[in-house]
Amino acid sequence: MAKLCPIPCLITITFLVILAFPTSASTDKSDAQALRDLYRSLNSPPQLKEWKLNGGDPCEESWTGVLCFGSSVIHLKLHGLELTGTLGFDLSNLRSLKQLDLSSNHIHGDIPYFVLPNVTQLNLSGNNFSQSIPYSLVYMKHLRHLNLSHNTLSGPLGDVFNGLENLIEMDLSFNNFTGDLPTSFKTLTNLTRLFLQGNEFTGSVIFLANLPLSDLNIEDNHFSGLIPEKFQDIHNLWIGGNRFNNGSNYPPWNFPFDTLPNEQNITSPPSTNLSAIESYPSHKVRGHKKKGQGVAGIVLMVGGGTLIAACAALFISIRIHRSRREILKSLGSCEGSTRSSPISIVRGPYIAINI
Ligand SMILES: *[C@@H]1O[C@H](CO)[C@@H](O)[C@H](O)[C@H]1NC(C)=O
Ligand SMILES: *[C@@H]1O[C@H](CO)[C@@H](O)[C@H](O)[C@H]1NC(C)=O
Ligand SMILES: *[C@@H]1O[C@H](CO)[C@@H](O)[C@H](O)[C@H]1NC(C)=O
Ligand SMILES: *[C@@H]1O[C@H](CO)[C@@H](O)[C@H](O)[C@H]1NC(C)=O
Ligand SMILES: *[C@@H]1O[C@H](CO)[C@@H](O)[C@H](O)[C@H]1NC(C)=O
Ligand SMILES: *[C@@H]1O[C@H](CO)[C@@H](O)[C@H](O)[C@H]1NC(C)=O
Ligand SMILES: *[C@@H]1O[C@H](CO)[C@@H](O)[C@H](O)[C@H]1NC(C)=O
Ligand SMILES: *[C@@H]1O[C@H](CO)[C@@H](O)[C@H](O)[C@H]1NC(C)=O
Ligand SMILES: *[C@@H]1O[C@H](CO)[C@@H](O)[C@H](O)[C@H]1NC(C)=O
């Protein structure tokens, strides 16, 4: 590639792509409509700048919290914006969404049945959601991080976790869930961090025994029965405030608190070893990009290398075919180079790519 087109030429191509994107990247119709409908069900709050009930172009106009790739909305991040209202019923139309963060607002009502086939992060924590988890969760096979903590969710968990084998972190803490853990917990084969504390769960925790957990908090529930021997391999374990079997010979294995298994001592974590958190396989890259960034800045960053140019060339060829799906696929292969480089695909107030 470098032979056919020397580096200055590649930079020029990249530059042209950057200039070309804003004019051609109007938001996918169903994505735009889904955001308008969400705006309505959230009572059209003024803190969502640029958002509109009718018309408007979310990607083009940098609607608050919206990040697009090409014409698709891929992130929606509305953390801590004092939002009220409900979620509405059209979220499923955000078909390319990868990250949804509505945490720390005052949204109420149930979590509607919605399927975001590509979503990897779902954070609805710190709201006022009620009822239980919708069965549609089972269809979000790419989910890696789920946080529903600090709501008023209640009732038993349905068998909604089947086959979520990409899930590595789940936080259902501080709700009002009741009942036993469903058998589908057994299928969460990549789950390393699980937080269930502050609920009313009952029954056995045996389905958690074979998960690759490094962090487990099940404090302050009504779990009973045996504490699985495998739990001694969990680095950060909180299990106090339950009704586990605690006879004189129990637990029968060398648990850190086996010398005196009273509530007080069980409540505090027996081993707080931060290495467990450090080795947690998350590759977070965060950066910031302001709207209307200077062209000079872009040019400087473009100097970053031919990899960007190669990706840009790829974008061009893909855009010629005008296939949204292919563009998204190419995001995967070029994501590495977009992490800290403001290629024009990145709009909105920030970029946060979590692979
Ligand atoms: C979901 O992601 C895959 C791979 O990243 C992509 O091929 C597919 O088009 C995406 N689906 C949608 C609806 O964007
Ligand atoms: C919401 O959850 C996601 C996934 O766990 C996480 O990346 C994000 O930082 C959370 N948002 C806040 C504001 O903590
Ligand atoms: C989930 O969200 C709550 C509140 O927003 C936060 O305190 C907690 O740390 C989050 N859980 C995880 C595992 O990140
Ligand atoms: C949550 O909803 C309940 C009623 O469903 C209401 O009484 C309560 O005040 C709400 N809490 C918050 C923090 O909005
Ligand atoms: C999930 O775990 C399986 C083995 O249990 C492994 O093959 C797979 O790569 C893991 N997936 C992720 C996303 O970590
Ligand atoms: C939790 O559930 C119990 C039993 O259903 C109920 O009495 C209690 O009011 C609920 N608490 C909250 C905060 O919803
Ligand atoms: C075992 O639990 C009972 C209550 O469930 C408690 O009274 C007793 O002190 C506990 N035994 C030990 C050794 O902690
Ligand atoms: C915890 O156990 C130790 C002995 O292992 C004891 O000295 C200590 O007082 C206990 N702490 C509490 C808060 O009960
Ligand atoms: C944490 O664990 C590592 C290995 O698992 C060990 O080498 C280290 O000493 C531990 N640190 C503490 C503070 O326990």
Side-chain angles (χ1 to χ4, degrees):
M1 177 129 196
K3 274 182 191 159
L4 294 174
C5 177
I7 287 173
C9 148
L10 287 175
I11 291 176
T12 310
I13 290 177
T14 311
F15 201 41
L16 288 175
V17 170
I18 287 169
L19 293 179
F21 251 91
T23 54
S24 57
S26 59
T27 311
D28 176 87
K29 279 199 177 65
S30 89
D31 283 7
Q33 191 55 43
L35 292 181
R36 287 181 207 111
D37 291 340
L38 178 62
Y39 188 50
R40 181 171 296 110
S41 58
L42 296 174
N43 305 322
S44 44
Q47 59 271 39
L48 295 186
K49 304 230 158 51
E50 303 292 341
W51 287 56
K52 296 176 182 65
L53 289 171
N54 297 298
D57 188 310
C59 298
E60 205 58 24
E61 301 165 356
S62 298
W63 289 15
T64 298
V66 174
L67 182 77
C68 296
F69 179 77
S71 59
S72 302
V73 175
I74 57 167
H75 298 179
L76 182 56
K77 299 203 166 188
L78 303 174
H79 163 82
L81 292 175
E82 305 273 320
L83 301 175
T84 60
T86 65
L87 276 191
F89 294 95
D90 299 294
L91 285 176
S92 297
N93 289 332
L94 295 169
R95 292 181 2 97
S96 304
L97 199 65
K98 289 176 184 267
Q99 298 186 14
L100 177 62
D101 187 350
L102 299 173
S103 57
S104 304
N105 286 293
H106 310 289
I107 307 171
H108 69 274
D110 54 352
I111 300 174
Y113 184 100
F114 66 96
V115 179
L116 300 170
N118 272 0
V119 79
T120 62
Q121 297 193 10
L122 193 51
N123 192 341
L124 304 179
S125 65
N127 280 284
N128 207 358
F129 288 113
S130 52
Q131 310 288 338
S132 196
I133 303 178
Y135 187 71
S136 52
L137 189 72
V138 82
Y139 300 115
M140 306 200 211
K141 298 290 186 206
H142 290 98
L143 203 56
R144 292 167 65 85
H145 302 268
L146 175 66
N147 194 342
L148 301 177
S149 70
H150 295 277
N151 280 290
T152 48
L153 298 169
S154 62
L157 293 174
D159 238 340
V160 295
F161 305 105
N162 265 317
L164 295 183
E165 56 190 33
N166 288 303
L167 197 62
I168 55 180
E169 181 179 79
M170 176 157 73
D171 192 341
L172 306 179
S173 62
F174 302 105
N175 279 289
N176 208 5
F177 288 118
T178 54
D180 296 359
L181 299 182
T183 54
S184 52
F185 263 87
K186 274 193 299 195
T187 69
L188 299 173
T189 50
N190 282 317
L191 194 65
T192 60
R193 308 183 78 215
L194 177 63
F195 303 91
L196 301 175
Q197 70 269 27
N199 282 287
E200 315 274 334
F201 286 119
T202 53
S204 162
V205 291
I206 195 67
F207 296 143
L208 308 180
N210 291 313
L211 305 182
L213 294 168
S214 66
D215 295 69
L216 176 65
N217 192 334
I218 54 175
E219 275 187 338
D220 303 324
N221 281 285
H222 310 296
F223 289 118
S224 57
L226 304 181
I227 302 174
E229 189 162 354
K230 289 257 176 70
F231 276 16
Q232 65 191 314
D233 300 331
I234 299 176
H235 279 244
N236 299 303
L237 180 64
W238 293 264
I239 64 175
N242 283 291
R243 300 172 185 160
F244 288 117
N245 185 341
N246 67 349
S248 55
N249 287 326
Y250 198 82
W253 31 274
N254 185 22
F255 204 71
F257 56 71
D258 63 355
T259 48
L260 186 59
N262 65 31
E263 280 297 291
Q264 289 301 317
N265 269 322
I266 294 176
T267 298
S268 51
S271 71
T272 313
N273 192 328
L274 288 177
S275 71
I277 293 169
E278 277 155 23
S279 63
Y280 164 63
S282 128
H283 311 278
K284 296 190 178 176
V285 178
R286 284 175 187 283
H288 292 268
K289 177 181 182 284
K290 291 273 179 295
K291 193 185 166 191
Q293 192 159 16
V295 166
I298 293 175
V299 172
L300 272 182
M301 301 303 275
V302 163
T306 52
L307 185 55
I308 295 172
C311 287
L314 183 61
F315 286 140
I316 290 183
S317 64
I318 289 169
R319 284 196 68 78
I320 288 168
H321 291 94
R322 293 199 166 265
S323 160
R324 189 165 70 95
R325 210 186 296 146
E326 286 180 52
I327 291 173
L328 274 174
K329 208 180 291 169
S330 75
L331 174 63
S333 50
C334 293
E335 215 158 29
S337 63
T338 57
R339 279 185 193 177
S340 55
S341 319
I343 285 185
S344 72
I345 53 168
V346 177
R347 288 159 209 273
Y350 44 66
I351 170 173
I353 295 172
N354 292 14
I355 296 163

